[in-house]
Amino acid sequence: MVTFPSSLLRALALIACGTVLAITPAATQDRPAADPARMDALISGMFQRVSPEWRARAELDPTQRTCTDRRNHVSGAEADAIQARERASVVLPPDGNFLGDWRKGFQVANNGRGFQFSDPAGTVAGGNCYACHQMDPKEVSYGTLGPSLAGYGRERNYDPEMIRDAYIKIFNAQAVVACSNMPRFGSSKVLTIDQIKDVLAYLFDRQSPVNQP
């Protein structure tokens, strides 16, 4: 996505340490667990010459630490704790309106810029939603890491409760599914509340191409 998740940083660090030897079931099964302290030290060393903001982005928060240490296989109690903690970070739209402009939402969904070293000052970040999801059923280029969202609003009968739930999921996916692969767009301040509302309109507006047959 538009940011470098800590899980990706650690995967790269594992390769740098030489602990990933082969991508085979046997190698994965026999590979010893990485030393967390060594990993933290390596990643910290990689970010010594960057701004404090970038160094902070390499630090694991409690949710990331738990998911990383458990390799995303958390217990029920840990999952409940993660979801409760992350739910507290969700900020709902002050005006109570969850839908913005679907045309702007299309732009957010297709924008993969933001939070990169090469971005000029003032670059507006996007959600890069098509990197993981199908949305407009007529779109031919999209990722498959996440489920298809084609017909999303239509299939949910444009239910207001479903719209609210989708807002929370986009704002902070960890509030809904512990150790989700989806970025915490709102909590991480990648997207603004208005941008999230625009993406929701892209998913739920009856006129959006997402909901056309």
Side-chain angles (χ1 to χ4, degrees), residues 49-99:
R49 297 184 180 181
V50 299
S51 67
E53 178 186 1
W54 273 91
R55 284 200 298 272
R57 295 180 73 82
E59 296 293 329
L60 296 180
D61 64 25
T63 292
Q64 292 169 325
R65 172 58 71 187
T66 300
C67 293
T68 297
D69 289 349
R70 302 291 186 272
R71 298 190 177 187
N72 291 342
H73 297 297
V74 295
S75 68
E78 288 170 327
D80 290 343
I82 288 172
Q83 290 173 223
R85 178 172 56 244
E86 299 298 327
R87 179 64 180 83
S89 76
V90 175
V91 179
L92 300 178
D95 61 3
N97 180 18
F98 289 91
L99 297 183

Side-chain angles (χ1 to χ4, degrees), residues 5-28:
S6 296
S7 57
L8 174 59
L9 292 173
R10 275 157 172 69
L12 293 173
L14 279 169
I15 295 172
C17 288
T19 53
V20 177
L21 302 178
I23 308 302
T24 65
T28 302

Side-chain angles (χ1 to χ4, degrees), residues 2-3 16 22-23 43 45 62 72 107 112 114 140 153 157 174 183:
V2 294
T3 59
I23 308 302
I43 291 173
N72 291 342
Q107 297 296 329
V140 297
N157 297 315
Q174 301 275 13

Side-chain angles (χ1 to χ4, degrees), residues 27-168:
T28 302
Q29 186 176 36
D30 298 337
R31 187 175 69 239
D35 179 357
R38 185 183 180 192
M39 294 294 298
D40 288 342
L42 176 61
I43 291 173
S44 178
M46 293 167 61
F47 283 81
Q48 287 301 309
R49 297 184 180 181
V50 299
S51 67
E53 178 186 1
W54 273 91
R55 284 200 298 272
R57 295 180 73 82
E59 296 293 329
L60 296 180
D61 64 25
T63 292
Q64 292 169 325
R65 172 58 71 187
T66 300
C67 293
T68 297
D69 289 349
R70 302 291 186 272
R71 298 190 177 187
N72 291 342
H73 297 297
V74 295
S75 68
E78 288 170 327
D80 290 343
I82 288 172
Q83 290 173 223
R85 178 172 56 244
E86 299 298 327
R87 179 64 180 83
S89 76
V90 175
V91 179
L92 300 178
D95 61 3
N97 180 18
F98 289 91
L99 297 183
D101 184 334
W102 72 259
R103 295 170 184 82
K104 293 181 179 178
F106 166 79
Q107 297 296 329
V108 175
N110 278 276
N111 180 9
R113 298 301 300 273
F115 298 96
Q116 301 175 62
F117 286 112
S118 58
D119 289 334
T123 296
V124 176
N128 202 18
C129 308
Y130 273 102
C132 296
H133 300 281
Q134 179 188 30
M135 302 181 82
D136 181 347
K138 294 184 174 61
E139 176 59 62
V140 297
S141 178
Y142 53 86
T144 57
L145 180 62
S148 172
L149 305 179
Y152 196 82
R154 185 181 71 249
E155 292 176 359
R156 288 158 180 76
N157 297 315
Y158 309 100
D159 187 326
E161 284 301 313
M162 292 287 187
I163 295 174
R164 184 179 184 277
D165 290 345
Y167 175 92
I168 294 172

